[in-house]
Amino acid sequence: MSIPLIFALTYPAYLLWAAVSDLVRMTISNRLNLILAGAFFPAALLLGLSLGDIGIHTAVAAGGLVLGMVLFALRFMGGGDAKLIAATALWLGLDGFIALLFYTALAGGALTLGIVIARKFFWALAPKLPKWLGQHLEAKTGIPYGIAICAGGLLAIPHGDLWARLTPLLNV
């Protein structure tokens, strides 16, 4: 397996891990976010991003963290979600980050609407379902927004400048 392929798979694999973790446990671990963020730096260096470009990615991630912290403070999302936005933004750069926000908002709206409708019509099924699934039918449970961030992060891949460097190496 080639090094570019390993890095091409790292980002989506960790996003999917975050989505499943949020769906099942309603948490996204700090370890997962740190691994996702930390894996960016060797990937960026091996793919030839300049230190200036890495700095831009880092600044975008810092901005994503601030945005996530504001959304967390307003109780729109959990702390793991806020950190996942930052770790995801790190891989995408500025154009990819804008796409991430757009796609995440769309996916989050659809996810929230779906869960609200399911809670209205299927709440009585909650005790009969596995705990990880039934919890989402309970009114007091939050929305597993890591799923929306995962969808947004995957859809934003073509907009990120790191991916433009990776695609020719994968012969795609």
Side-chain angles (χ1 to χ4, degrees):
M1 184 177 294
S2 71
I3 289 179
L5 182 58
I6 290 169
F7 285 117
L9 296 175
T10 298
Y11 171 82
Y14 278 96
L15 285 179
L16 290 170
W17 180 9
V20 170
S21 174
D22 212 13
L23 176 66
V24 173
R25 295 191 342 253
M26 291 295 294
T27 60
I28 300 169
S29 76
N30 288 336
R31 180 181 308 144
L32 185 151
N33 285 317
L34 285 171
I35 292 170
L36 179 60
F40 164 77
F41 294 100
L45 292 172
L46 286 170
L47 293 171
L49 252 62
S50 70
L51 290 179
D53 286 340
I54 292 171
I56 290 169
H57 279 248
T58 304
V60 169
L65 183 59
V66 169
L67 174 64
M69 289 169 39
V70 168
L71 293 172
F72 173 73
L74 295 172
R75 298 189 175 270
F76 288 131
M77 67 174 42
D81 300 324
K83 291 174 258 186
L84 183 60
I85 286 177
T88 303
L90 186 59
W91 283 81
L92 294 171
L94 184 56
D95 290 344
F97 180 62
I98 293 167
L100 168 69
L101 295 179
F102 176 76
Y103 292 128
T104 299
L106 289 178
L111 175 68
T112 301
L113 183 61
I115 289 176
V116 167
I117 290 170
R119 286 176 181 169
K120 181 170 178 71
F121 293 106
F122 302 108
W123 60 269
L125 294 176
K128 297 175 180 132
L129 295 171
K131 184 179 188 254
W132 67 268
L133 185 56
Q135 71 183 345
H136 299 295
L137 296 177
E138 298 170 7
K140 295 178 184 173
T141 304
I143 303 295
Y145 213 74
I147 296 169
I149 297 167
C150 172
L154 294 175
L155 291 169
I157 286 173
H159 303 279
D161 60 345
L162 186 66
W163 306 102
R165 292 176 182 266
L166 184 60
T167 303
L169 298 174
L170 296 173
N171 298 319
V172 177

